[in-house]
Amino acid sequence: MSGPGEADRGDAARTDSDGGAVGAVGRRTVVAAGAALAAAAGLGTGPARAADGAARGGGTDRRRPTIVLVHGAFADGGSWTPVVERLQDAGYPLRVVANPLRGLATDAAQVRGVLAAIPGPVVLAGHSYGGAVVTEAAAGAANVRALVYIAAFMPDQGEVLGELAGRFPGSELTPALRPEPTTGPDGTPGADLYLAADRFHDVFAADVPRATTRLLAAVQRPLSASAFADRASAAAWRTIPSWTLVATRDRGIPPELQRFQARRARSRTVETAASHLAMYGRPHEVTALIKAAARSVTAD
């Protein structure tokens, strides 16, 4: 499948050396992301406020579709910061969802509520586990006109996320996970999964400076272990056009799994030499792909 058109090439210019694209993010981005993430670590509900507050900044063009961004596991809305800045500069209306990371049904319901409150068309993008969430949340949402997957899971209806994750070799995620026991509101025991701090850089964001990944590891949000046993109830990519970015240096979700999913979804696909956290490693290319999806949508 083809990727962004000629108009995107300047925006999606690649730098092949590790961290090159992060240099383009600049000190301003790293400081802003650090401030948002640090606030989130101390305030509990901070991730939603920080992310939504940044994404609702002025200067947006309401004739364009609203872009809704959904983060994945071991992260919060701040993981989209370099992309949010670029989309804001381009005038797109934005929402960044605080994904609860409690399981597909719960998380999809959260996203579905956000979608229902947005007037007009939406481009819905998910990173990592967030891809599985948007796949379920967009089913039946009439205003979602395009889906974007960034180094993401794209389950089909009936697939179990843990089984899909193991379909192709190459992931280093499982040995890096650190479970912590939890108790649900009804007293049911469970477990939350974190990425070990000493493995966070190499598995999650190998092309991002270590100073940044130390911060991201410290304020990561856990995924409920039960999410890997959840069965997808719908696959919105079967009826909604999709765009996919395959991160070829991903050690979390194997690149071959990303390619397989994109092929069966007939997704417009680009590949880039990025780690799992492609929004930081290759923000220009992630932004270009989202903009390509947005240009396909006509505002109501």
Side-chain angles (χ1 to χ4, degrees):
M1 294 288 181
S2 59
E6 294 291 333
D8 293 320
R9 289 186 180 175
D11 197 24
R14 300 183 181 182
T15 48
D16 290 331
S17 59
D18 283 352
V22 176
V25 176
R27 187 181 302 274
R28 176 172 59 92
T29 295
V30 174
V31 171
L37 290 165
L43 295 178
T45 57
R49 288 201 297 267
D52 267 352
R56 292 176 184 172
T60 59
D61 182 354
R62 284 295 171 183
R63 295 170 298 178
R64 294 176 169 181
T66 298
I67 296 172
V68 177
L69 306 174
V70 180
H71 66 82
F74 322 118
D76 66 5
S79 62
W80 286 100
T81 296
V83 174
V84 166
E85 290 186 334
R86 286 161 172 78
L87 291 172
Q88 282 183 327
D89 288 346
Y92 284 95
L94 293 171
R95 286 291 304 273
V96 183
V97 179
N99 187 355
L101 304 179
R102 297 296 86 192
L104 278 181
T106 298
D107 301 341
Q110 174 80 3
V111 174
R112 203 174 292 118
V114 172
L115 297 174
I118 297 174
V122 167
V123 173
L124 181 59
H127 170 244
S128 186
Y129 165 75
V133 175
V134 305
T135 294
E136 188 156 319
N143 59 338
V144 178
R145 307 291 175 77
L147 297 168
V148 183
Y149 295 94
I150 307 299
F153 287 114
M154 301 169 62
D156 201 354
Q157 184 175 2
E159 286 185 335
V160 175
L161 202 59
E163 295 174 359
L164 181 63
R167 186 169 297 186
F168 294 90
S171 175
E172 300 177 17
L173 180 62
T174 299
L177 293 176
R178 296 294 179 267
E180 293 189 0
T182 61
T183 302
D186 61 353
T188 303
D192 275 350
L193 300 177
Y194 292 83
L195 271 179
D198 62 352
R199 297 290 296 146
F200 192 96
H201 176 269
D202 291 348
V203 173
F204 199 74
D207 54 355
V208 178
R210 287 186 181 273
T212 302
T213 58
R214 279 196 297 270
L215 170 64
L216 296 173
V219 300
Q220 66 177 290
R221 293 180 55 228
L223 175 69
S224 173
S226 64
F228 283 107
D230 287 345
R231 192 175 300 275
S233 65
W237 49 258
R238 287 193 168 274
T239 56
I240 300 173
S242 65
W243 283 252
T244 296
L245 183 140
V246 173
T248 63
R249 297 181 181 176
D250 196 332
R251 298 174 182 172
I253 300 178
E256 198 53 44
L257 174 58
Q258 297 176 42
R259 295 184 184 107
F260 161 77
Q261 296 174 131
R263 285 194 301 269
R264 72 176 179 179
R266 298 183 179 180
S267 186
R268 298 157 178 84
T269 304
V270 297
E271 296 198 0
T272 184
S275 71
H276 188 62
L277 193 61
M279 298 92 77
Y280 266 79
R282 293 294 185 268
H284 290 297
E285 294 173 66
V286 173
T287 304
L289 190 66
I290 294 172
K291 288 165 70 175
R295 281 197 298 273
S296 75
V297 176
T298 302
D300 293 336

